Amino acid sequence: MRYKGAALGVLLLLGISAFFLFPKNTHKDLILIQETEHGLFYSPTNDSETTQMIHILALEFDAHYTRLSTMFHFESERKLPVHVYPDYEAFRKMIGRDTEGTYDARDKTIKVYTPVNLENPNTRRAFTDQITHELVHAVIQQVNPKVGRTKWLDEGTAYYASNQFEAEFESKLLFGSAFLDFPDLEQFQQSDYFNKAGGAAYFYSGTLIDYIIDEYGIDALNEIICKPNRMEKILNTSLEELYAEWKSRLQNPED
């Protein structure tokens, strides 16, 4: 009986370990559409239009994967699952909020809505940028799962590394609307800043990441991602000084 009990204990321990070490299968109601070098792309439907749309996303995903892995010193032994929903209402209902994309850290899966028709260049750019944006989240949150708690760092890094902020930055300068809605430091640190400011919050967070990389280097950003609470020590400056310098450079880009 003693050995039988020990055997049952071992089996129970292995079962518990497997539960925590290996994510549960969250793809059971989805169809595997395409497997690439770095990703597994699933969708509720596998018609020709959806398959073509996913092929476009998969090309963009793999094109940026190596760059981002190198940038953030990330290695993974598993391919990253991506759930693609061509029906926005079904996607919104599944996610439980209004959004077109997210990285779900609970099952380590990118989940996005993408329309099947990507013929319009602007539409195609918007949704291929989105898959890259969510890939950045996936990478940095696997480097440090706690980085998602610092909203400006998480979203700013994704906006910067997906190259989304560059076009907006140039547009603001071109049309003379640059930085009219610049947040003060207190606003920037508030947890609901992104809910209140919308797209502006992503833009300003991205420009702060751009500033940190330009002034302190990519290694400093990687240290901050690993230890957000030690940012002032890593940069050897206070948050107030960093904010003032960033704001000054952003409002005087030619200086």
Side-chain angles (χ1 to χ4, degrees), residues 10 33 35 39-40 43 50 54 67 70 79 84 87 91 93 106 131 134 141-142 182 195 207 213 216 229-230 244 249:
V10 170
I33 305 297
E35 179 175 358
L40 297 166
S43 181
T50 300
I54 288 178
R67 173 180 70 86
T70 301
K79 297 185 179 184
V84 184
D87 182 328
F91 177 74
K93 183 178 180 180
R106 295 169 301 178
I131 197 72
E134 300 306 334
Q141 288 189 34
Q142 288 183 83
F182 203 100
N195 293 332
T207 60
I213 291 175
Y216 301 94
N229 294 334
R230 295 176 60 85
R249 193 186 79 164

Side-chain angles (χ1 to χ4, degrees), residues 20-249:
F20 287 104
L21 291 175
F22 301 101
K24 63 181 180 180
N25 180 13
T26 59
H27 324 302
K28 61 181 180 180
D29 297 325
L30 301 175
I31 304 165
L32 178 60
I33 305 297
Q34 184 171 346
E35 179 175 358
T36 69
E37 183 179 359
H38 303 293
L40 297 166
F41 290 80
Y42 297 84
S43 181
T45 59
N46 63 347
D47 57 83
S48 60
E49 288 184 318
T50 300
T51 300
Q52 177 59 25
M53 173 266 287
I54 288 178
H55 178 67
I56 292 170
L57 295 185
L59 286 174
E60 193 74 11
F61 180 93
D62 269 22
H64 289 279
Y65 188 95
T66 300
R67 173 180 70 86
L68 295 172
S69 296
T70 301
M71 183 177 183
F72 297 113
H73 305 161
F74 171 73
E75 293 183 10
S76 177
E77 295 181 355
R78 62 189 285 266
K79 297 185 179 184
L80 185 63
V82 182
H83 295 179
V84 184
Y85 290 79
D87 182 328
Y88 178 71
E89 287 305 316
F91 177 74
R92 185 180 65 82
K93 183 178 180 180
M94 185 272 298
I95 293 295
R97 56 190 172 91
D98 288 325
T99 184
E100 293 183 341
T102 187
Y103 169 67
D104 193 335
R106 295 169 301 178
D107 55 15
K108 298 182 179 179
T109 300
I110 291 174
K111 300 172 182 178
V112 294
Y113 156 72
T114 308
V116 292
N117 188 347
L118 296 179
E119 290 183 6
N120 181 286
N122 292 330
T123 302
R124 180 167 177 155
R125 174 66 185 271
F127 286 95
T128 52
D129 280 353
Q130 176 180 262
I131 197 72
T132 308
H133 182 104
E134 300 306 334
L135 174 57
V136 179
H137 283 309
V139 169
I140 65 176
Q141 288 189 34
Q142 288 183 83
V143 170
N144 177 16
K146 295 181 180 179
V147 75
R149 299 176 185 175
T150 308
K151 189 78 170 179
W152 71 263
L153 176 61
D154 185 31
E155 293 294 355
T157 302
Y159 203 64
Y160 170 87
S162 61
N163 302 322
Q164 289 173 294
F165 97 98
E166 290 182 355
E168 186 174 358
F169 183 80
E170 293 173 2
S171 176
K172 282 180 178 288
L173 293 179
L174 180 64
F175 293 104
S177 61
F179 325 128
L180 298 178
D181 49 3
F182 203 100
D184 60 36
L185 182 56
E186 183 179 356
Q187 286 177 302
F188 199 73
Q189 291 179 296
Q190 290 175 350
S191 59
D192 61 350
Y193 172 56
F194 279 78
N195 293 332
K196 291 180 178 179
Y202 291 85
F203 172 73
Y204 287 115
S205 297
T207 60
L208 179 53
I209 297 299
D210 179 52
Y211 177 77
I212 289 173
I213 291 175
D214 277 357
E215 293 295 317
Y216 301 94
I218 186 62
D219 288 342
L221 176 63
N222 278 317
E223 284 190 65
I224 293 169
I225 288 170
C226 291
K227 300 177 181 178
N229 294 334
R230 295 176 60 85
M231 183 179 69
E232 291 183 330
K233 185 170 184 179
I234 291 167
L235 301 182
N236 194 30
T237 189
S238 69
L239 188 58
E240 290 76 14
E241 290 172 335
L242 177 69
Y243 173 86
E245 293 166 0
W246 162 56
K247 181 177 180 178
S248 176
R249 193 186 79 164

